[in-house]
Amino acid sequence: MPIIKVENLVKRFNGLTAVNDISFEVDKGTIFGFLGPNGAGKTTTINILCTLLSPTSGNASIAGHDCKTESSDVRRSIGIVFQDTTLDKDLTAYENLMFHSYLYNVKRSEMKERIHDVLHFIGMYERKNDLVKKFSGGMKRRLEVARGMLHRPGVLFLDEPTLGLDPQTRANLWEFIVELPQKHNVTVFMTTHYMEEAEVCDRIAIIDNGRLIAVDTPDDLKKTLGGDVIYIKSSDNKKARSEIEKMFGLEVSEKDGELFMTCSMGDSCIPEIIRSISDVQSVRLQRPTLNDVFLKMTGKDIREEEMSEGDVFKETIRSHRRRFG
Amino acid sequence: MVEANVIYVLVAREFKKFVRDKSRLISTLVRPLIWLFLVGGGMSRLVTPELGMSYMKFIFPGILGMTILFSSIFSSLSIIWDKEFGMMKEILVAPVSRFSVVIGKALSGTLISVIQTVIILMLFPFLGIKMGLLSICYAVAIAVLLSFCISSLGIIIATFYDSFESFSVIMNFIIMPMFFLSGAMYPVNKLPHVLQVITRINPLTYGVDALKHVLLGDSGIVDFPIVTDISVLAVSSLLFVAAAGFLFERKK
Ligand SMILES: Nc1ncnc2c1ncn2[C@@H]1O[C@H](COP(=O)(O)OP(=O)(O)OP(=O)(O)O)[C@@H](O)[C@H]1O
Ligand SMILES: [Mg+2]
């Protein structure tokens, strides 16, 4: 059952079309990934869905509520972790969560327990009374996810949740993001431009230049590439090559002393190939990645960027903000 | 439409940060003291005969007005920080009415401004001013009203800016003129006519005038009847807070 519905959504910023006629649906209880390079229109789409921007045209709804006309109902049913941190660094972790509970009118009697629960969930209970400015990037991100979950939303938006984090921290954060749908009965809508991260999604939408290029499961997207690539090295490549071509009808090429071929079911192909040719020295299988998919569909690579200069600048400014007061 | 939980938590947040940030507290208290004792003390000898009282005593209500002006406006301008550093998104994406946010912010500014004003107000015995408990209560009430008015004005200003780059513009073209054209440092009627007109559209003028009524008595240097002062402040507070609510509601 779809919980998010988007129909022919368009958003223009005086002349620039950031979101160009996109439509898709997200099923309840799934993880949906929005994949695209910088400036593709991911954040703009999220901002429309969470009622911070109104679309130029088209419709969007969450849990049956229209994002344009029923914004309070939409706001009540979503939690969101923005691309740039929105924690108050001069408050403690606990105070940030308290602030959020009041904003969402969480029952006074449940507040404490819920805050303690989410703090345990992200493993930061011991740090609850520390100021947020003392936290690492990963801790802040976890705290933001916890905050987004505090009022038990039906849909959780995560805009680049792992941007600027080291690989170890990214992995940890992912471990608990993938648990969210089962443990907390929430639908996760996330954006990323890290390809590996998109693999864990149930479904992926690929967006480029404001246009939706494909929406499918990661596996089906990869299947469009025609299958896995098998690399084989034998003592007599020439002989092996002609044998494989004759027996399996595959097109085989040679590169750097290795034979390679594309085959739809790589894992079951390999044993047969090995059996039929003599003297195999090495075999490896390369599965297509989402990056290959993206490459094929858009003709370009998704760039991976660390924290932009602008963000670093803001962080610096922020710590000096008191000078003005 | 106005949610108590939202107002409470916005005020509580601002108050916590205020209490925690000692340097901000000290710097906002030092500014009026510098003006009172260094500027006021220095000028005292020059202008005393005309006023019929010490210059320091004369500017004391103005210094309270200055304390209110600066702390209320700065509190409201924290909205610009909240916008620039994202906290405002967390607030705006929550299921709360924009008007509650405006009221919450205006009351945060009011609370912090009144706390600072009361601290400065307690210097009155050193300036040869006599005040009973009742006058103190009147002075605090005026401070509350003026702080709310200026905080709401600050919110209006804040809705026009998304980053603090324009801070010096706000400082030089709004805050400083408001201060000097309010009768805080010299009687309004000593100004050239054009500037006198400006003082009349400056809400701070009426706040300072009301404080002069309460602190200095009717020693002939007030510009308006106190009823006028209070009415102007009350009406402009309502106008400002309504305008702030309207401006806040706009969506891109
Ligand atoms: N408020 C705005 N005014 C004008 N242009 C905007 C605004 N917000 C976004 N844009 C433009 O819309 C386009 C899409 O931006 P968006 O932030 O949605 O990209 P994104 O996919 O989230 O990129 P990133 O991976 O860098 O976060 C960009 O070209 C951007 O410059
Ligand atoms: Mg983005």
Side-chain angles (χ1 to χ4, degrees):
Chain A
M1 199 190 80
I3 188 162
I4 304 178
K5 283 190 198 167
V6 173
E7 277 170 10
N8 306 106
L9 202 65
V10 176
K11 178 68 187 179
R12 284 192 203 97
F13 294 107
N14 35 33
L16 183 136
T17 309
V19 173
N20 195 350
D21 194 19
I22 65 174
S23 307
F24 61 88
E25 287 183 351
V26 177
D27 282 333
K28 204 170 170 192
T30 59
I31 299 184
F32 187 82
F34 225 45
L35 193 62
N38 289 125
K42 306 182 293 291
T43 301
T44 306
T45 309
I46 287 198
N47 283 344
I48 294 171
L49 287 172
C50 72
T51 76
L52 286 181
L53 280 179
S54 27
T56 308
S57 67
N59 289 307
S61 71
I62 292 178
H65 305 295
D66 188 281
C67 297
K68 271 185 295 189
T69 55
E70 297 162 282
S71 47
S72 342
D73 294 311
V74 171
R75 288 186 198 145
R76 246 182 290 277
S77 35
I78 61 172
I80 173 159
V81 176
F82 289 101
Q83 185 164 351
D84 302 314
T85 176
T86 60
L87 294 165
D88 191 329
K89 290 194 172 183
D90 300 317
L91 295 181
T92 65
Y94 191 86
E95 287 163 349
N96 267 284
L97 296 175
M98 202 64 165
F99 183 78
H100 187 87
S101 317
Y102 271 97
L103 278 188
Y104 284 79
N105 219 355
V106 173
K107 273 211 201 88
R108 267 346 91 84
S109 54
E110 288 181 25
M111 246 182 223
K112 256 206 175 112
E113 198 187 320
R114 281 208 206 177
I115 293 178
H116 286 184
D117 283 352
V118 294
L119 281 168
H120 282 300
F121 178 55
I122 57 169
M124 283 179 59
Y125 186 76
E126 280 68 36
R127 306 290 305 264
K128 68 182 193 307
N129 292 324
D130 288 356
L131 291 180
V132 167
K133 62 178 151 211
K134 295 189 186 152
F135 290 162
S136 70
M139 292 162 81
K140 279 185 225 160
R141 236 37 189 145
R142 291 212 304 269
L143 183 59
E144 290 197 284
V145 177
R147 184 179 66 174
M149 296 297 301
L150 198 58
H151 55 285
R152 315 230 163 112
V155 179
L156 182 66
F157 289 95
L158 304 170
D159 197 356
E160 310 265 2
T162 55
L163 193 71
L165 303 181
D166 64 71
Q168 171 78 40
T169 316
R170 274 164 61 189
N172 288 344
L173 190 60
W174 272 111
E175 266 171 36
F176 89 73
I177 290 176
V178 296
E179 287 179 348
L180 289 174
Q182 290 88 22
K183 280 200 179 164
H184 295 273
N185 194 25
V186 63
T187 306
V188 177
F189 182 116
M190 51 152 269
T191 75
T192 182
H193 53 239
Y194 290 120
M195 289 298 169
E196 330 80 85
E197 294 187 350
E199 302 271 354
V200 305
C201 298
D202 296 305
R203 270 156 59 86
I204 294 174
I206 294 183
I207 181 170
D208 186 33
N209 263 324
R211 286 190 174 281
L212 210 58
I213 296 170
V215 189
D216 217 329
T217 63
D219 281 342
D220 284 347
L221 282 174
K222 283 185 269 186
K223 276 191 194 131
T224 61
L225 292 176
D228 311 325
V229 181
I230 300 170
Y231 293 83
I232 292 185
K233 202 168 169 181
S234 107
S235 54
D236 188 350
N237 273 347
K238 214 168 174 184
K239 184 167 159 244
R241 181 174 178 167
S242 68
E243 275 173 358
I244 297 170
E245 280 178 340
K246 204 165 74 205
M247 292 184 64
F248 300 93
L250 292 172
E251 197 179 308
V252 183
S253 329
E254 188 169 351
K255 191 181 155 203
D256 300 334
E258 261 183 335
L259 300 173
F260 68 94
M261 63 223 78
T262 306
C263 161
S264 60
M265 302 275 269
D267 349 32
S268 46
C269 263
I270 288 183
E272 287 179 45
I273 294 178
I274 293 179
R275 241 176 275 132
S276 58
I277 59 173
S278 48
D279 197 21
V280 177
Q281 287 175 332
S282 72
V283 184
R284 62 195 174 89
L285 176 76
Q286 190 170 319
R287 297 201 179 277
T289 63
L290 285 171
N291 201 33
D292 299 327
V293 177
F294 191 82
L295 203 62
K296 185 181 163 208
M297 290 184 168
T298 66
K300 58 186 179 193
D301 233 315
I302 280 199
R303 282 168 299 152
E304 294 194 357
E305 283 179 9
E306 293 308 307
M307 207 178 183
S308 71
E309 275 177 49
D311 293 334
V312 176
F313 177 69
K314 277 190 185 178
E315 291 294 304
T316 321
I317 293 265
R318 189 173 191 156
S319 58
H320 292 289
R321 57 182 288 190
R322 286 299 167 218
R323 302 259 161 98
F324 291 108
Chain B
M1 193 185 168
V2 178
E3 297 118 318
N5 56 314
V6 179
I7 294 172
Y8 166 76
V9 80
L10 287 172
V11 174
R13 167 183 175 230
E14 233 39 72
F15 183 71
K16 256 198 183 121
K17 287 166 68 162
F18 172 72
V19 173
R20 211 162 271 169
D21 192 349
K22 302 283 181 298
S23 61
R24 176 175 162 199
L25 177 63
I26 290 167
S27 81
T28 40
L29 289 179
V30 163
R31 186 186 299 113
L33 292 179
I34 287 180
W35 280 82
L36 185 60
F37 292 109
L38 301 190
V39 180
M43 303 280 283
S44 249
R45 286 167 193 270
L46 285 176
V47 287
T48 306
E50 288 234 4
L51 294 166
M53 66 177 82
S54 89
Y55 183 63
M56 271 212 277
K57 182 173 171 184
F58 168 75
I59 61 168
F60 190 54
I63 295 301
L64 295 178
M66 159 193 250
T67 312
I68 292 171
L69 173 68
F70 277 81
S71 62
S72 303
I73 291 239
F74 282 135
S75 284
S76 296
L77 292 187
S78 72
I79 291 175
I80 302 178
W81 287 113
D82 285 346
K83 278 199 255 186
E84 185 156 13
F85 297 109
M87 193 60 189
M88 190 47 75
K89 275 199 209 155
E90 149 82 355
I91 297 170
L92 292 183
V93 85
V96 302
S97 86
R98 304 299 192 243
F99 197 63
S100 305
V101 177
V102 168
I103 299 281
K105 277 288 178 184
L107 289 178
S108 318
T110 306
L111 177 68
I112 286 162
S113 160
V114 170
I115 294 172
Q116 299 184 357
T117 310
V118 167
I119 296 175
I120 303 288
L121 178 66
M122 289 307 133
L123 293 173
F124 72 87
F126 300 103
L127 297 159
I129 295 172
K130 292 198 175 57
M131 286 175 89
L133 192 58
L134 194 62
S135 327
I136 293 181
C137 291
Y138 285 146
V140 173
I142 293 167
V144 171
L145 186 57
L146 180 61
S147 301
F148 187 80
C149 181
I150 305 278
S151 299
S152 310
L153 179 65
I155 297 172
I156 296 179
I157 299 169
T159 57
F160 290 101
Y161 295 99
D162 286 335
S163 84
F164 243 89
E165 276 152 35
S166 345
F167 181 79
S168 63
V169 176
I170 300 175
M171 189 74 188
N172 291 325
F173 288 92
I174 300 175
I175 304 181
M176 291 322 274
M178 269 183 84
F179 172 54
F180 285 112
L181 297 176
S182 68
M185 301 301 288
Y186 29 73
V188 171
N189 57 27
K190 293 275 183 288
L191 287 168
H193 186 71
V194 190
L195 294 181
Q196 278 197 39
V197 174
I198 300 179
T199 60
R200 277 163 202 256
I201 54 168
N202 180 359
L204 188 60
T205 307
Y206 300 91
V208 169
D209 196 63
L211 288 167
K212 282 180 184 167
H213 276 282
V214 176
L215 271 73
L216 305 180
D218 301 316
S219 40
I221 37 165
V222 292
D223 297 293
F224 311 99
I226 187 141
V227 183
T228 312
D229 293 332
I230 302 296
S231 319
V232 170
L233 287 179
V235 171
S236 48
S237 295
L238 288 178
L239 287 179
F240 289 159
V241 87
F246 172 76
L247 290 168
F248 231 74
E249 194 70 49
R250 286 181 313 175
K251 209 196 293 185
K252 274 166 248 161

